[in-house]
Amino acid sequence: MADLQQGDETSSVPTFFREHSAVFDSLEKVLASAGDEATWRSASSSNGGVPAIERTLIRDMSEILGRYQEQPSVLDPYLERIVSRLMSLVQRYVYAFHDSLSADSADAVSAQRMSGVFGLVYLLCK
């Protein structure tokens, strides 16, 4: 074990967040897609109206972030940016969801639409 240097590519333990640019690129695409308030309304499809590309991006990001579960401190320099971007969208969505409940509208905000975004928040918390 002493032969492995901290930055050695042969080590199975991540020493820094190598995929940060891919995660941030995917995050921006997810935020653009999920941030489209027109898609928050109740959808009749079984996937809650979540576009396939958004589901794929979230799955890929979850897989990357999951690799760092054993060493979460590797993500520390990036967490504020990731979490603040996600939470600003979550806040807008929650307000819209609450407003649609109080308006008793037939065009209510779907409770399932943002499940992928909430899943990312959960992954970062655990």
Side-chain angles (χ1 to χ4, degrees):
M1 200 74 151
D3 293 347
L4 293 177
Q5 298 298 315
Q6 189 166 358
D8 192 340
E9 294 293 324
T10 61
S11 173
S12 63
V13 178
T15 57
F16 62 97
F17 190 23
R18 299 169 204 242
E19 304 93 340
H20 70 278
S21 6
V23 167
F24 283 118
D25 288 344
S26 295
L27 178 63
E28 292 307 316
K29 290 175 185 172
V30 166
L31 292 174
S33 175
D36 178 7
E37 293 186 26
T39 66
W40 297 354
R41 301 295 164 197
S42 296
S44 59
S45 64
S46 63
N47 63 16
V50 180
I53 187 67
E54 187 178 321
R55 287 192 315 270
T56 301
L57 289 167
I58 288 171
R59 184 187 65 236
D60 293 348
M61 287 179 10
S62 296
E63 181 182 313
I64 290 169
L65 293 170
R67 293 180 201 150
Y68 296 93
Q69 186 109 26
E70 300 280 325
Q71 285 191 317
S73 62
V74 172
L75 300 176
D76 284 351
Y78 307 93
L79 282 178
E80 182 179 355
R81 182 174 168 200
I82 294 170
V83 172
S84 66
R85 299 286 290 139
L86 286 170
M87 292 311 293
S88 66
L89 175 59
V90 166
Q91 182 179 18
R92 284 181 36 226
Y93 176 78
V94 168
Y95 284 138
F97 182 78
H98 182 277
D99 289 347
S100 76
L101 288 178
S102 61
D104 197 29
S105 168
D107 195 24
V109 170
S110 169
Q112 299 301 313
R113 174 58 182 93
M114 298 288 280
S115 62
V117 173
F118 286 125
L120 285 174
V121 173
Y122 171 76
L123 180 66
L124 291 167
C125 291
K126 77 173 190 176

